[in-house]
């Protein structure tokens, strides 16, 4: 029997200053929370979270975090939960912190909440974590029977965060529609464990539409550190709509190529969304998308500030061994590239990636946009 599945967080809260209500929302899930947050993020939000917890009379216990959601980092958090008897884990910060909190909450059998401090990926809403090695190489997806019980995002924090974070989130969210429409034509199942629901597909398309209407204005808002309706729309597109859209609409080639790119050390300094964006343009070329669609995607993502060429991620068409390694990893058994509506081999991926470089250079020149240059990693 073929079933369609929609999976979503129990509660999604978004708005300027929403962090002030964190303890109130967490209080519905448990009385002894463990907050996970790295020192940089805690320097920004620690005081506000502290005030929220104090007002609610909730004890505040916070533990630090490294760079990646590694198996070791997850196990450490699980041990901490069990040793101190926490009943809810709250991941505050970027995608890796949140993924580690989700995975540890699942292992320890308690509830979990996601509090992203930037709109830099669609990881916070999903019922899965991406696990990496200490070096930042993709290791595995871990799937959980539940989504987060709470996702809370404060748009003033998003406005105050570096603009590169929002750019990355836009790259991640643009891929959602490109992948969901391919997954609908294919035969595979979504991350939610069934065929795509119409809801999942529709939310992916809505995310695409909102981004085209609001992304450039939202980036202006973040550069000015202010919250505008355009920024609110993009935060919802990047976080909620893209999250539901990828999980219940289906992933395909773009994220598989992202995962493959993590096998090339040149790309390790790049954000998830930057690598995903190269995966998106490679998927469009791979599937033979119409020329005007490819043109529009390159022009728009160049305006957003996202890489759409090999050069920008530190590779060239002459990096034969690296491109082969990327393509082999992208087409590994179980990868979402096999959700494409036609068989995809490593050879086809290599050829698409090589083609992308010339296509990007030609279109950018035609539109008077800057030629591709190596993106400098932002951390
Ligand atoms: Zn993603």
């Amino acid at each position: 029997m073929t079933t369609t599945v929609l999976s979503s967080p129990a509660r999604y809260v978004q708005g300027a200053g929403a962090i002030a209500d964190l303890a109130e929302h967490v209080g519905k899930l448990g009385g002894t929370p463990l907050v996970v947050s790295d020192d940089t993020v805690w320097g920004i939000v620690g005081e506000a979270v502290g005030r929220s917890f104090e007002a609610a009379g909730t004890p505040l216990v916070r533990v630090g975090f490294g760079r990646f959601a590694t198996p070791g980092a997850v196990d450490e958090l699980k041990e901490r939960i069990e040793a101190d008897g926490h009943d809810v884990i709250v991941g505050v910060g970027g995608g890796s912190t949140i993924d580690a909190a989700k995975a540890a909450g699942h292992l320890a059998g308690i509830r979990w909440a996601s509090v992203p401090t930037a709109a830099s990926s669609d990881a916070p809403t999903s019922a899965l974590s991406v696990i990496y090695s200490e070096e930042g190489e993709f290791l595995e997806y871990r799937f959980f029977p539940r989504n987060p019980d709470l996702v809370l995002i404060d748009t003033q924090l998003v406005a105050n965060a570096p603009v590169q974070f929002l750019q990355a989130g836009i790259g991640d969210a643009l891929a959602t529609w490109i992948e969901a429409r391919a997954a609908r034509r294919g035969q595979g199942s979504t991350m939610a464990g069934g065929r795509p629901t119409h809801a999942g597909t529709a939310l992916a398309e809505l995310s695409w539409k909102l981004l085209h209407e609001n992304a450039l204005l939202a980036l202006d808002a973040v550069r000015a550190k202010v919250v505008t309706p355009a920024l609110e729309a993009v935060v919802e597109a990047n976080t909620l709509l893209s999250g539901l859209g990828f999980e219940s609409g289906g992933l395909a080639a773009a994220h598989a190529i992202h995962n493959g790119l993590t096998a090339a050390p040149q790309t390790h300094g790049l954000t998830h969304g930057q690598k995903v964006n190269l995966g998106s343009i490679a998927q469009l070329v791979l599937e033979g998308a119409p020329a005007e669609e490819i043109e529009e995607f390159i022009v728009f993502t160049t305006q957003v500030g996202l890489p759409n060429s090999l050069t920008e991620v530190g590779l060239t068409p002459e990096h034969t061994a690296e491109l082969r390694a990327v393509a082999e990893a992208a087409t590994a058994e179980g990868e979402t590239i096999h959700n494409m509506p036609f068989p995809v081999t490593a050879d086809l991926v290599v050829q698409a990636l090589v083609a992308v470089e010339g296509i990007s250079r030609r279109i950018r020149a035609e539109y008077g946009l800057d030629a591709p240059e190596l993106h400098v990693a932002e951390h």
Side-chain angles (χ1 to χ4, degrees):
M1 191 178 69
T2 308
T3 51
T4 63
V5 178
L6 177 78
S7 184
S8 79
R11 180 177 292 261
Y12 177 82
V13 180
Q14 175 185 316
I19 199 92
D21 302 331
L22 179 62
E24 184 197 323
H25 290 290
V26 168
K28 294 171 187 151
L29 307 176
T32 54
L34 177 65
V35 175
V36 189
S37 181
D38 68 43
D39 291 347
T40 308
V41 167
W42 198 245
I44 298 163
V45 304
E47 224 182 286
V49 173
R51 273 198 306 273
S52 175
F53 274 57
E54 204 183 317
T58 309
L60 176 57
V61 182
R62 173 243 166 186
V63 64
F65 187 74
R67 188 166 165 209
F68 296 113
T70 62
V74 171
D75 289 344
E76 250 176 63
L77 287 174
K78 177 197 172 240
E79 281 155 26
R80 179 71 187 260
I81 292 166
E82 289 174 346
D84 298 346
H86 295 287
D87 56 5
V88 52
I89 183 165
V90 185
V92 181
S96 286
T97 306
I98 287 170
D99 274 3
K102 283 196 272 192
H106 169 68
L107 285 178
I110 62 169
R111 305 175 90 175
W112 58 87
S114 303
V115 184
T117 50
S120 55
S121 87
D122 55 23
T125 59
S126 73
L128 64 97
S129 291
V130 190
I131 304 298
Y132 290 93
S133 71
E134 300 285 349
E135 289 74 39
E137 271 183 60
F138 170 80
L139 288 182
E140 59 171 341
Y141 288 112
R142 286 194 195 173
F143 296 91
F144 315 123
R146 289 200 327 270
N147 294 67
D149 286 288
L150 168 69
V151 176
L152 182 142
I153 183 160
D154 185 329
T155 43
Q156 187 61 57
L157 291 176
V158 174
N160 295 345
V163 73
Q164 289 80 11
F165 290 178
L166 192 70
Q167 286 170 322
I170 293 167
D172 197 24
L174 285 171
T176 304
W177 169 234
I178 294 173
E179 294 185 89
R181 70 181 182 183
R184 174 159 284 284
R185 291 199 300 263
Q187 299 302 316
S189 50
T190 68
M191 301 312 238
R195 287 288 298 154
T197 49
H198 287 286
T201 310
L203 294 177
E205 189 170 18
L206 177 59
S207 166
W208 174 268
K209 182 173 169 279
L210 285 178
L211 291 172
H212 279 80
E213 288 166 357
N214 296 287
L216 299 177
L217 289 170
L219 291 166
D220 292 334
V222 170
R223 289 189 184 99
K225 301 195 184 304
V226 293
V227 179
T228 62
L231 179 59
E232 293 281 3
V234 168
V235 170
E236 187 179 332
N238 286 8
T239 314
L240 180 65
L241 299 173
S242 179
L244 294 171
F246 98 77
E247 191 169 27
S248 298
L251 290 178
H255 269 76
I257 293 170
H258 160 276
N259 293 343
L261 282 168
T262 67
Q266 286 92 335
T267 71
H268 283 185
L270 295 163
T271 59
H272 174 77
Q274 287 177 315
K275 283 174 280 191
V276 167
N277 204 62
L278 186 65
S280 291
I281 184 61
Q283 180 182 320
L284 291 174
V285 171
L286 181 72
E287 67 189 2
E292 58 270 26
E293 200 175 293
I294 289 175
E295 204 166 286
E296 186 279 331
F297 188 81
I298 287 186
V299 171
F300 182 60
T301 58
T302 302
Q303 288 169 338
V304 168
L306 285 163
N308 49 45
S309 65
L310 294 181
T311 299
E312 290 160 296
V313 302
L315 294 168
T316 66
E318 287 72 44
H319 279 96
T320 316
E322 283 88 345
L323 293 180
R324 171 60 51 182
V326 168
E328 295 288 350
T331 52
E333 201 187 323
E335 255 303 349
T336 57
I337 206 162
H338 304 299
N339 288 339
M340 294 295 287
F342 54 88
V344 181
T345 61
D347 273 345
L348 291 176
V349 174
V350 169
Q351 294 184 46
L353 284 168
V354 169
V356 157
E357 181 71 11
I359 293 170
S360 172
R361 286 184 177 272
R362 173 181 60 76
I363 292 170
R364 289 162 67 148
E366 278 173 18
Y367 281 83
L369 298 165
D370 290 343
E373 278 175 39
L374 179 62
H375 266 243
V376 179
E378 313 266 352
H379 279 293

